[in-house]
Amino acid sequence: SFVDDIHAISRGLRLIFHFSAVILMFYQWGLFSLSWWMIIVALVFCTGIINAYNFMDGINGMTGGYSLVVLVALAYINQRFIFFVEQEFIISIICSVLVFCFFNFRNRAICFAGDIGSVSIAFIILFLIGMLIIKTENFSWIVLLVVYGVDSALTIIHRLMLHENISLPHRKHLYQIMANELKIPHIIVSLIYMLIQALVIVLYLLFLDFGYYYLVGIVIILSFAYILFMKQFFHLHHRMR
């Protein structure tokens, strides 16, 4: 990712390194006792999450702010609900993200995450959520990334419906429409994503016994909101091309 920030490298080479890193994470998680097909599915799923997280790095404050919400939630869960990793590790990552936000979470950012920043924080957050899921044997903790997840998944589906090459750069994410076409300040867009994800997490913790039902329900609600937004404003994207 650092090399890719300096000069472009092929997508195939990127995937080789992403798969290698995720396989090492699987070793840390102890997943190699599973069936081979389950490991392949998990490999594709986790690599997809990392790349989706990377794609969401497009406006000031988005990656740092959203990551901060998820990391603070993980620290709280680790402290109050279930211990799944050394708390000092999460705290150190929170401090790092706070430093980054100081330079990035502003209208005129001084620095940007780039591929190295967004892929790294995605890998760390995925590792932490994976540890939590394995410890609790409850996959519904993936709700910690549900706002990014719904946006990324529906944007891919939307682009496929438009017969586009989903591997090519684009500006069709919901947050991009908000920032570029609706001219909403970057910081406001990032705050909206942060607040929605924070609200989703708080409600999830309140209804923890109904985790899977809550996860399905929130995916439906966010998907419905995404579709309504695109029906209302996506035409502006074509008008401004």
Side-chain angles (χ1 to χ4, degrees):
S1 295
F2 179 68
V3 173
D4 195 38
D5 282 332
I6 299 173
H7 60 80
I9 60 175
S10 68
R11 289 187 292 272
L13 184 59
R14 284 168 53 90
L15 281 176
I16 290 174
F17 279 93
H18 285 190
F19 283 150
S20 299
V22 172
I23 287 171
L24 289 172
M25 182 162 60
F26 286 0
Y27 178 77
Q28 174 73 15
W29 283 346
L31 292 190
F32 287 106
S33 59
L34 300 177
S35 302
W36 64 269
W37 65 268
M38 296 180 68
I39 294 175
I40 292 176
V41 171
L43 180 64
V44 174
F45 181 75
C46 291
T47 305
I49 290 177
I50 292 172
N51 280 275
Y53 209 98
N54 184 27
F55 292 154
M56 296 294 287
D57 175 37
I59 65 173
N60 299 350
M62 179 65 78
T63 294
Y66 189 91
S67 299
L68 193 61
V69 169
V70 177
L71 287 166
V72 169
L74 285 166
Y76 179 77
I77 293 165
N78 192 53
Q79 184 72 30
R80 299 294 299 272
F81 287 87
I82 179 72
F83 179 82
F84 59 91
V85 73
E86 289 78 4
Q87 185 75 344
E88 291 79 6
F89 176 60
I90 305 179
I91 297 301
S92 66
I93 303 302
I94 289 175
C95 291
S96 301
V97 174
L98 282 172
V99 172
F100 171 69
C101 285
F102 177 78
F103 295 101
N104 180 260
F105 203 96
R106 53 179 74 192
N107 289 324
R108 295 186 177 181
I110 299 175
C111 73
F112 301 93
D115 272 9
I116 182 62
S118 55
V119 169
S120 296
I121 193 63
F123 187 87
I124 293 170
I125 288 175
L126 181 60
F127 168 75
L128 292 172
I129 294 176
M131 290 291 292
L132 177 59
I133 290 172
I134 291 169
K135 184 75 173 182
T136 60
E137 298 182 349
N138 184 356
F139 186 76
S140 68
W141 287 108
I142 201 67
V143 76
L144 293 167
L145 294 176
V146 73
V147 176
Y148 262 15
V150 169
D151 189 310
S152 298
L154 292 184
T155 299
I156 291 173
I157 294 172
H158 188 193
R159 295 189 67 202
L160 288 173
M161 292 171 62
L162 296 173
H163 306 290
E164 293 184 358
N165 185 342
I166 61 174
S167 65
L168 296 177
H170 66 96
R171 300 173 66 182
K172 292 182 174 66
H173 280 292
L174 188 149
Y175 77 89
Q176 291 172 321
I177 304 294
M178 294 173 68
N180 299 323
E181 278 70 33
L182 297 181
K183 305 301 181 183
I184 301 175
H186 286 200
I187 299 304
I188 301 301
V189 176
S190 297
L191 283 172
I192 291 172
Y193 270 65
M194 292 170 62
L195 290 173
I196 293 174
Q197 183 62 72
L199 178 62
V200 167
I201 294 172
V202 170
L203 291 176
Y204 175 80
L205 294 177
L206 290 175
F207 299 100
L208 195 56
D209 293 337
F210 307 94
Y212 287 103
Y213 295 107
Y214 179 84
L215 175 61
V216 172
I218 206 66
V219 167
I220 292 173
I221 292 172
L222 291 175
S223 299
F224 186 67
Y226 176 96
I227 293 170
L228 286 180
F229 180 92
M230 287 301 179
K231 282 184 174 293
Q232 183 72 25
F233 298 111
F234 185 73
H235 67 93
L236 298 175
H237 176 74
H238 288 292
R239 185 181 302 173
M240 296 183 67
R241 290 178 64 180

